[in-house]
Amino acid sequence: MADHNDRTPNIPGPRQEHPAATHGQAAGLPPAAPLLLEELKDTPSRAEALRAWWADAWDDGGVLHVRWEDLRQAPELGWHGMANWLKTALGLAGICLVILLLDGAADALAAMLHSLLTAVPRVQVATDTSSGIFAVIDQPVRTYIAAHSTSLPITGATVYTVWQLVGLFGLIGGFARSSGARITWTAWGAASIAMVHSAAPADGRTIATGLAVLAWTAASAFALRGLTLRPAIFTHIHNDGHQIEPHIYLPAPAAPEADDTPDNVHPLQKR
């Protein structure tokens, strides 16, 4: 008869099933395979597996060893001989660098242009800020811009600055013989003359317009240098080369001796 006072715990041995397996079998589940203590001891940990992978990767033919050899041989092989993954990495790095430089340059250029456009004096009607002959042309332009820029989303000072910058671009670009800059210079001069004619005082409108035309014509000597209205004539000399006409020459066969000549054989004769 078993002793009921015996409270020794039932510890499963290496081959003994766990009590939970009995409950699983009772519920109709397949029995779990017993796990040996030796198998638990032989299972490597994550650190050991990582060290083993690191050692294999740096062996000959490993992943990291091959990549290191590609890096080491890249300066000797050059761009055409280096590995494709190195070309891709360098190309992506170069594109990112260009994007960063363009982003910074765009911000700096926008700030510079904004400071340039806002640094000019305010354009007002009947405000003479110039003197001499230049005032005859500049004052009507200022008056016209101030009178026609009230409904625009930008100020008259900004419009006046843009007008000056466009004229400077046409003058410098035309001097450099740029076709687009010369077209811009021509349109800018025509618009300036029209503004002077429209905003100049009635009693001096003819003189102001004439001075504007003369000033623009004198400046065009630099902007349109080298441009001539004389039509260009191109003379094409056609030189016939040597003509080769092939001919087939068939020499006439020599006539045989009189004794050996048959009656039905006659030499070729030219007619």
Side-chain angles (χ1 to χ4, degrees), residues 82-194:
M82 67 175 58
N84 293 330
W85 70 272
L86 269 178
K87 295 180 182 179
T88 304
L90 292 176
L92 292 176
I95 292 174
C96 294
L97 181 61
V98 170
I99 292 175
L100 291 177
L101 292 178
L102 290 178
D103 187 24
D107 294 340
L109 184 61
M112 185 183 302
L113 184 61
H114 181 267
S115 62
L116 180 63
L117 294 178
T118 56
V120 296
R122 188 177 183 83
V123 180
Q124 297 178 358
V125 179
T127 300
D128 191 3
T129 58
S130 56
S131 59
I133 299 178
F134 181 69
V136 179
I137 303 172
D138 182 65
Q139 181 61 30
V141 172
R142 286 174 176 267
T143 304
Y144 185 89
I145 291 175
H148 293 81
S149 61
T150 54
S151 60
L152 297 178
I154 56 178
T155 62
T158 303
V159 177
Y160 180 74
T161 304
V162 171
W163 176 79
Q164 289 180 324
L165 291 177
V166 170
L168 187 62
F169 165 76
L171 182 61
I172 297 176
F175 185 79
R177 298 188 177 184
S178 174
S179 301
R182 288 179 174 179
I183 295 174
T184 304
W185 172 258
T186 305
W188 179 85
S192 301
I193 294 171

